Amino acid sequence: MKWNPLFLIVVASVISSGCSQSTPRSLNAKPSPKQINTPNQGSMHAQAASPDILTTKKLRSLPALAETDSVQPTGKVREYKLEAKVAKWELVSGVQTDADTFNGTVPGPVIRANEGDTIRVIVKNSLPEETSIHWHGLHVPNKMDGVPSFTQQAIKPGETFTYEFTANHAGTYMYHSHFNSIQQIDKGLYGLLIIDPQKESLKHDREYAMIFGGWNIPDKAGGTATNNNDQMSGMAKGEPKPLKKKGDIRSMMEQGLKDKSSQLHSMMEMPSKSPNNQAGSTVMGMDYNYWTINGKSFPDTQPIEVKEGELIRIRLANISNGTHPMHLHGHDFRVIAKDGHPLTSPQIMNTVTVNPGETFDIDFIADSPGEWVFHCHELHHTTNASVEPGGLMALVKYVK
């Protein structure tokens, strides 16, 4: 029997091809580097050679802030005039409320000085009730601490009081009312105070400052009517009493309890439901339905504008009664100071929790171009009257 040569060639080719495809790979055989891939990524060799993968090396190599050991008086006086008064304030476009303000704005003007300067603040009270100013975190003479019934008489409507002290410690601080303080602070009576060091080796290209506030707007979703007659709504509310002598604190407390004895039952209940369209916290409930950065809710918050390669400093202060874990997208940052005190070993993170009354200083390198958000991760704090997005959120925007 004769075979066609062409037929034999075709059969041989098919057999050879089938054998090669079915030959098992040795268990010890190693694939070439080109064959090692991970999902959605290139080869390992390509990754190792890439110059675009960010690390925290540059951030870790930056120096810490310097702590001041001694301060020399400069002989300079930084004088500020503050008027406490009621004014209309817009939290976000279309949402306006009556606020307690310094000079008509929320927050009040930034008070800034260098270590060793004398800070003089002349306060005129144009509110319908007493007030005072406490210098939160600062080392000041006792009589300048701003706590009525302890260090001074409350400033009555129409009166003026002058605070004066030396700026003796660099850092980020706050000033705020310490009379009927829950209501007055929650209605905007606060501001930032910044003291710069006489010498600082760490230079930042840009600086931003944020103070976080909470608001209860009764006629908006989530708002609750406030009861301004509640005696627990602030410190030292009511008729001003003479300053007590040292050692007489217990009698003051006993008198305070006697004054409030008729209200003890109501204090344990929810805040009054009687109509009252004034902004402010609801005392026990702290039913905030708006949250603000420097008096504004997103999208009306100021953007953090940066240029690629810059070192950015942000000062954070929480005057509200809420806790705010502030999270930065697209970048890591260092915590370089807390409550005005530099950290000898700055901590690198991307979320820092700012509790009531705390301040933090953070910095980051603008090394990831784009448009990113910096926001509170207590996510109902990023709403306006329960509508997202809003509240404690700001955009990080790269500019040319």
Side-chain angles (χ1 to χ4, degrees):
M1 178 178 175
K2 287 187 176 182
W3 296 94
N4 187 312
L6 179 60
F7 174 77
L8 291 173
I9 293 172
V10 171
V11 171
S13 175
V14 170
I15 294 173
S16 174
S17 174
C19 291
S20 66
Q21 291 179 2
S22 61
T23 302
R25 177 176 292 164
S26 167
L27 293 176
N28 296 320
K30 295 182 179 180
S32 65
K34 293 182 180 179
Q35 295 171 300
I36 303 177
N37 289 284
T38 54
N40 302 319
Q41 292 180 340
S43 71
M44 291 181 68
H45 286 276
Q47 290 181 56
S50 172
D52 299 322
I53 298 176
L54 294 174
T55 71
T56 61
K57 181 179 180 180
K58 287 185 178 179
L59 200 58
R60 283 183 277 118
S61 67
L62 293 173
L65 290 175
E67 181 73 81
T68 301
D69 292 325
S70 62
V71 175
Q72 299 300 319
T74 64
K76 296 180 180 179
V77 177
R78 308 286 183 177
E79 184 173 289
Y80 292 84
K81 293 183 179 179
L82 299 180
E83 182 183 6
K85 63 181 181 179
V86 175
K88 291 290 185 182
W89 185 253
E90 189 172 65
L91 305 179
V92 66
S93 181
V95 179
Q96 195 175 73
T97 188
D98 287 327
D100 290 346
T101 74
F102 287 117
N103 295 2
T105 66
V106 179
V110 174
I111 295 175
R112 193 156 194 161
N114 294 321
E115 285 178 320
D117 291 347
T118 295
I119 296 176
R120 180 183 298 148
V121 183
I122 303 170
V123 181
K124 179 183 179 181
N125 184 13
S126 297
L127 294 171
E129 64 177 357
E130 295 88 348
T131 194
S132 69
I133 295 183
H134 171 61
W135 311 97
H136 189 103
L138 283 169
H139 305 160
V140 299
N142 183 252
K143 64 182 180 180
M144 295 288 107
D145 197 43
V147 184
S149 295
F150 290 88
T151 65
Q152 70 171 93
Q153 295 283 7
I155 309 170
K156 296 180 181 180
E159 289 185 345
T160 297
F161 186 88
T162 299
Y163 295 93
E164 188 168 316
F165 48 86
T166 301
N168 60 5
H169 192 279
T172 302
Y173 305 99
M174 298 180 280
Y175 65 92
H176 60 78
S177 167
H178 220 289
F179 181 94
N180 191 14
S181 51
I182 294 177
Q183 179 175 310
Q184 290 189 4
I185 290 173
D186 283 349
K187 292 180 69 176
L189 209 57
Y190 54 79
L192 281 164
L193 193 153
I194 298 171
I195 299 177
D196 294 306
Q198 291 184 344
K199 295 181 180 179
E200 180 57 74
S201 57
L202 180 59
K203 303 295 183 183
H204 292 87
D205 297 299
R206 298 182 193 228
E207 178 185 298
Y208 293 88
M210 299 180 172
I211 187 165
F212 308 133
W215 299 74
N216 173 42
I217 308 301
D219 59 348
K220 298 294 181 181
T224 305
T226 60
N227 179 8
N228 288 337
N229 293 321
D230 192 327
Q231 297 276 329
M232 286 293 288
S233 64
M235 298 189 65
K237 187 174 181 180
E239 292 300 318
K241 297 178 173 59
L243 280 172
K244 300 295 189 292
K245 296 180 180 179
K246 290 184 178 180
D248 199 22
I249 301 300
R250 181 170 296 278
S251 65
M252 188 190 330
M253 293 171 63
E254 290 172 350
Q255 182 62 44
L257 287 173
K258 185 184 299 182
D259 292 342
K260 295 180 176 62
S261 61
S262 63
Q263 301 176 23
L264 288 177
H265 182 266
S266 63
M267 284 177 354
M268 300 308 294
E269 298 176 348
M270 291 300 290
S272 169
K273 295 183 180 179
S274 60
N276 190 327
N277 289 327
Q278 296 194 32
S281 69
T282 57
V283 188
M284 295 295 192
M286 299 301 172
D287 293 320
Y288 301 120
N289 57 346
Y290 283 83
W291 299 90
T292 57
I293 298 174
N294 298 337
K296 297 292 183 180
S297 300
F298 186 82
D300 288 358
T301 52
Q302 178 190 12
I304 301 168
E305 293 188 341
V306 304
K307 288 184 178 180
E308 188 172 1
E310 289 183 332
L311 180 61
I312 311 300
R313 180 175 185 164
I314 306 178
R315 300 175 186 266
L316 308 175
N318 185 6
I319 194 65
S320 79
N321 285 296
T323 296
H324 307 304
M326 297 302 297
H327 172 58
L328 177 61
H329 287 215
H331 306 74
D332 288 306
F333 57 76
R334 302 187 307 163
V335 176
I336 56 177
K338 182 182 185 301
D339 295 336
H341 297 279
L343 301 185
T344 55
S345 298
Q347 187 175 355
I348 294 179
M349 55 181 65
N350 54 57
T351 305
V352 60
T353 298
V354 189
N355 290 308
E358 290 183 338
T359 70
F360 283 90
D361 288 47
I362 67 173
D363 64 4
F364 71 94
I365 299 172
D367 54 10
S368 185
E371 190 166 272
W372 306 93
V373 293
F374 182 47
H375 69 95
C376 179
H377 225 284
E378 190 75 52
L379 295 179
H380 66 282
H381 296 176
T382 57
T383 64
N384 295 333
S386 301
V387 177
E388 187 179 5
L392 301 182
M393 182 181 295
L395 292 180
V396 177
K397 300 178 70 172
Y398 280 71
V399 295
K400 299 296 184 182

